[in-house]
Amino acid sequence: MKLSPIIWGLIAVLFLVVGLYLIALFTKGKNKEQLDELETRKKVLFDLSIGSKVERIKKMTLAGQSQAAFQALEKRWIAISTNDYATLERQLFEAESLNSKFKFGKVKVLLAAATSKISQMETEAASVNEGLKDLSESEDRNSIDIQAALDKFEESKATLTKKSELFGPAAEPLTKQVEALDELFNRFKALNTSGDPIEAAVVLEKAEKDTWELVTLMSEIKPLFKTLSEDFPEQIDDLEQGYKKLVTEKYNFPNIDIRTELTKVKSKLEATTAELEKCETKVIEESCEGITNHIDRLYQIMEKEIEAKAFVAKNLVPMQELIEHSFQNNHQLVIEVDHVGQSYSLNNDEMGRAHGLQAHLEEIRKDYDRIITNANSENVVYSQIQEAIEVNNRMLDVIQDQQVSLNQALITLRDGEKLAQVKIEEFEFRLRNTKRRVDKQRLPGIPDGYIELFHVVTDRIEELSQELEELIIDMDEINELVQRCEADLKILDEKTDELVDSAALTEQMLQYANRYRLTHTEISEASEKSLYLFNREFRYKEALDEIGVALESVEPGAFKRIESFYYNEKK
């Protein structure tokens, strides 16, 4: 059955009404949630107990900057808790009433206004709360800081009152600083009691700064005055007593008057002590450092002479013994030089050097006699004697080194002769081996150049042998001949290798080339020329080159192969 259009229209209207009603209920619920949230924020805002803080601080006795700051904060809080609060309450009430009547347009406007208002109130309340907190803490902080500063001030004041002698001339100016601080603290107390903690804090800051400066100054002056009044006088007295004792024991101090220096130290000490009244610790510290350096220098001068005397007493006898020992060594050295000179040419003035060392020793002995004389005189300066002993001991060390070097040079002459004798035997042996090696090849002849070189080497070895048979031999000449013989034998060995190897390789190349003589004219001609050079002119290297080049043109690589085989077999 079909429904009429009227019925369908009624059904559509019904659905529309129900839908609108549901939307209205949903919007009403959302608005209620926003209203509840704003109520919660309002409650939290007034749970900050700002009002009670205002009442507590109001009971304090405030004045000046503190009073002005508090009044401004109180005025802002009154505005928040009365006017702003009333406006917020009206907005929330109207919104709730309109929401229940489904007047959502007006509700939206009121909720936006209420949200803006409470945000403004929260920001303002937080600022007021922070200001009240700072004001309260400033009061509390002043109480704590004043106590700490007062405690340290009273401690310093008591120390200066009961033990002013520990500060010497600085006691009076320090006392004046204490009196000034007393006035400053009294002013602070007055401001703090009258209820102006902010202005009091400014005064307290200066009082604290001045207090710590006073404490620092007292801590610096106390040890400085102790140094000036106790340490330095004790050291000066010690120096004076020590100097008197050293003078009694016949000590002398060159280039300085100890008494005058001590007088200068005392004057500087008096002037520095008087400077304490100005309380300029940096200046006093610098002056004390100068006095310390002056005193240390005087101690060093005295200690130097005391240590020098002990050094002289310990080293005089050993120095004499060392001189005598060096004389004995030099005497033996002169005898040895003379003895060696009877068999060897002395080319480096060995005898002159030995006599020169003798002359130096004579000078050292004279200086030693002067040292003994000075050590026994009334005007003895031990540091000067110590220096003279050290200089002469160093010279003796140098002389002994030169004696050892010269003696070693004499020993080297004998060792060089023995070595040359051994070398002659070695050279002759090598020469004989070389001759046997050449003879073993049964060559048709020996080149003139090789024979000449062989004779040169033989003559050189003979010359060396004759030089060694001289009554007085010159080792410089002999050593030079040994080196020449070494060089000549090296050249002879190289020429012998070339002679033997060229001859042997030529024979092998000619034997190998025979296979090509009938078929290759160039091989036949090269063989003939090579044989001529080999058998008639004894030019073995040229003979090898001649047949080698021809063979290589017929059979590339043959020359290298035969040569490699030869040298491998030779090994």
Side-chain angles (χ1 to χ4, degrees):
M1 181 178 73
K2 289 186 179 180
L3 297 176
S4 66
I6 295 174
I7 295 175
W8 280 112
L10 290 173
I11 292 173
V13 170
L14 180 62
F15 275 108
L16 177 62
V17 170
V18 171
L20 290 174
Y21 180 73
L22 292 174
I23 290 171
L25 288 177
F26 175 78
T27 303
K28 182 180 179 182
K30 292 297 289 182
N31 290 339
K32 183 67 169 64
E33 289 177 4
Q34 288 189 54
L35 286 166
D36 291 342
E37 180 184 348
L38 291 172
E39 285 289 346
T40 301
R41 287 171 67 182
K42 181 183 72 173
K43 184 175 183 301
V44 170
L45 174 63
F46 286 93
D47 282 346
L48 292 175
S49 303
I50 295 176
S52 59
K53 291 178 183 177
V54 170
E55 292 302 321
R56 182 173 64 84
I57 294 175
K58 186 185 292 186
K59 293 177 182 178
M60 297 179 182
T61 306
L62 301 176
Q65 295 180 26
S66 301
Q67 179 67 24
F70 172 72
Q71 288 175 349
L73 292 171
E74 183 183 27
K75 183 178 181 181
R76 289 165 64 190
W77 174 246
I78 290 173
I80 294 169
S81 60
T82 55
N83 298 338
D84 291 342
Y85 179 78
T87 301
L88 178 63
E89 277 292 302
R90 177 180 55 75
Q91 290 171 340
L92 292 175
F93 177 77
E94 289 181 5
E96 186 175 2
S97 176
L98 292 171
N99 191 49
S100 63
K101 299 176 180 178
F102 298 98
K103 296 182 179 181
F104 300 133
K106 293 182 179 181
V107 171
K108 182 178 180 181
V109 173
L110 287 170
L111 284 175
T115 300
S116 175
K117 174 56 71 175
I118 199 166
S119 295
Q120 175 193 340
M121 291 170 65
E122 287 171 340
T123 301
E124 187 72 4
S127 175
V128 170
N129 193 41
E130 188 65 27
L132 293 171
K133 179 183 176 183
D134 289 344
L135 195 62
S136 178
E137 287 178 353
S138 174
E139 177 69 18
D140 295 339
R141 187 166 54 251
N142 284 349
S143 298
I144 295 170
D145 290 349
I146 181 56
Q147 193 58 51
L150 277 171
D151 289 346
K152 185 53 73 172
F153 170 70
E154 292 298 336
E155 180 183 335
S156 301
K157 182 178 179 180
T159 300
L160 195 57
T161 302
K162 296 176 182 179
K163 300 179 181 180
S164 60
E165 70 278 2
L166 298 178
F167 302 93
E172 184 176 347
L174 288 174
T175 299
K176 290 180 179 179
Q177 290 189 38
V178 168
E179 292 172 354
L181 271 170
D182 246 338
E183 293 180 5
L184 205 56
F185 276 113
N186 288 335
R187 182 184 171 197
F188 167 78
K189 291 175 183 177
L191 287 170
N192 207 45
T193 302
S194 66
D196 193 356
I198 293 178
E199 289 186 17
V202 175
V203 176
L204 177 61
E205 184 178 356
K206 177 172 173 50
E208 284 182 307
K209 177 176 175 293
D210 292 353
T211 296
W212 288 113
E213 287 178 355
L214 174 65
V215 170
T216 301
L217 189 59
M218 289 174 65
S219 67
E220 291 174 349
I221 288 177
K222 184 177 176 181
L224 285 174
F225 180 66
K226 180 180 181 299
T227 299
L228 292 166
S229 62
E230 297 179 17
D231 299 344
F232 285 158
E234 287 177 5
Q235 292 171 6
I236 293 170
D237 183 64
D238 184 48
L239 284 170
E240 288 177 330
Q241 297 303 319
Y243 176 69
K244 289 177 183 178
K245 182 179 178 183
L246 293 178
V247 170
T248 303
E249 295 175 2
K250 308 301 181 184
Y251 281 87
N252 292 284
F253 302 92
N255 307 320
I256 189 170
D257 187 336
I258 300 295
R259 287 192 181 90
T260 301
E261 293 301 318
L262 286 171
T263 300
K264 290 180 181 178
V265 173
K266 289 178 182 178
S267 298
K268 184 65 174 175
L269 176 59
E270 290 176 3
T272 303
T273 302
E275 286 290 320
L276 278 173
E277 189 174 358
K278 298 179 182 178
C279 295
E280 295 178 355
T281 55
K282 294 298 180 184
V283 175
I284 297 169
E285 285 172 357
E286 291 176 1
S287 184
C288 284
E289 184 178 354
I291 294 172
T292 298
N293 292 337
H294 203 155
I295 289 174
D296 288 346
R297 186 162 63 88
L298 294 177
Y299 270 120
Q300 289 169 4
I301 292 170
M302 293 184 187
E303 288 170 356
K304 179 181 179 181
E305 293 303 318
I306 294 170
E307 292 171 358
K309 183 177 182 180
F311 177 89
V312 171
K314 181 180 178 181
N315 287 276
L316 271 179
V317 173
M319 180 183 175
Q320 183 184 24
E321 293 173 349
L322 185 58
I323 293 171
E324 295 306 320
H325 178 70
S326 298
F327 265 109
Q328 292 174 11
N329 287 346
N330 216 72
H331 177 68
Q332 293 297 325
L333 184 61
V334 170
I335 294 173
E336 185 67 14
V337 170
D338 181 65
H339 176 70
V340 171
Q342 296 174 18
S343 302
Y344 300 92
S345 294
L346 300 177
N347 301 325
N348 297 307
D349 191 26
E350 282 82 353
M351 184 59 76
R353 289 159 62 192
H355 285 309
L357 295 176
Q358 185 76 15
H360 284 309
L361 287 170
E362 292 291 348
E363 288 297 324
I364 291 174
R365 177 179 277 170
K366 291 177 183 178
D367 203 28
Y368 176 77
D369 293 338
R370 286 192 293 270
I371 288 172
I372 292 296
T373 301
N374 291 335
N376 294 322
S377 72
E378 289 290 325
N379 298 320
V380 57
V381 178
Y382 291 108
S383 59
Q384 294 177 353
I385 295 178
Q386 176 181 351
E387 183 178 354
I389 291 174
E390 290 173 340
V391 169
N392 283 290
N393 280 344
R394 287 195 293 271
M395 291 177 64
L396 286 169
D397 289 339
V398 172
I399 289 172
Q400 286 187 332
D401 290 342
Q402 292 179 355
Q403 288 173 339
V404 171
S405 176
L406 183 53
N407 187 61
Q408 187 61 43
L410 298 177
I411 294 172
T412 301
L413 292 174
R414 293 193 181 94
D415 292 342
E417 181 187 4
K418 294 176 183 178
L419 179 61
Q421 294 286 1
V422 172
K423 283 291 184 181
I424 287 177
E425 295 178 6
E426 177 189 327
F427 296 156
E428 290 176 344
F429 178 76
R430 287 172 62 183
L431 204 59
R432 288 194 299 272
N433 278 348
T434 299
K435 187 175 184 304
R436 281 198 297 269
R437 184 182 172 198
V438 173
D439 292 343
K440 186 179 178 182
Q441 299 300 313
R442 299 184 181 276
L443 299 173
I446 305 299
D448 292 340
Y450 182 85
I451 293 172
E452 183 181 349
L453 175 61
F454 191 89
H455 288 158
V456 168
V457 176
T458 303
D459 292 344
R460 191 91 72 192
I461 295 172
E462 181 61 28
E463 182 184 359
L464 174 59
S465 179
Q466 289 175 1
E467 284 290 334
L468 284 170
E469 291 175 359
E470 294 287 334
L471 182 62
I472 297 177
I473 62 177
D474 187 340
M475 284 308 302
D476 289 345
E477 179 67 23
I478 287 170
N479 289 332
E480 184 177 348
L481 282 171
V482 169
Q483 292 176 2
R484 289 181 181 177
C485 287
E486 292 275 13
D488 290 345
L489 277 168
K490 183 179 179 182
I491 294 172
L492 182 61
D493 287 341
E494 292 172 354
K495 292 298 182 181
T496 301
D497 286 340
E498 181 182 306
L499 175 67
V500 170
D501 293 340
S502 295
L505 279 169
T506 300
E507 290 175 340
Q508 291 189 19
M509 293 289 179
L510 286 169
Q511 184 179 358
Y512 187 84
N514 283 336
R515 67 184 66 185
Y516 296 113
R517 291 189 68 173
L518 298 177
T519 57
H520 292 76
T521 305
E522 64 270 32
I523 293 294
S524 176
E525 292 175 354
S527 294
E528 291 296 331
K529 186 175 181 180
S530 179
L531 283 169
Y532 180 83
L533 291 170
F534 189 94
N535 292 316
R536 298 298 182 86
E537 297 188 2
F538 320 130
R539 293 160 59 189
Y540 303 109
K541 181 68 170 64
E542 289 85 342
L544 176 61
D545 291 341
E546 183 68 30
I547 187 63
V549 170
L551 183 60
E552 190 69 18
S553 66
V554 174
E555 185 183 335
F559 182 92
K560 192 68 177 177
R561 187 172 65 254
I562 296 170
E563 184 183 48
S564 297
F565 176 80
Y566 168 78
Y567 283 116
N568 287 333
E569 287 295 313
K570 186 179 177 181
K571 292 179 181 178

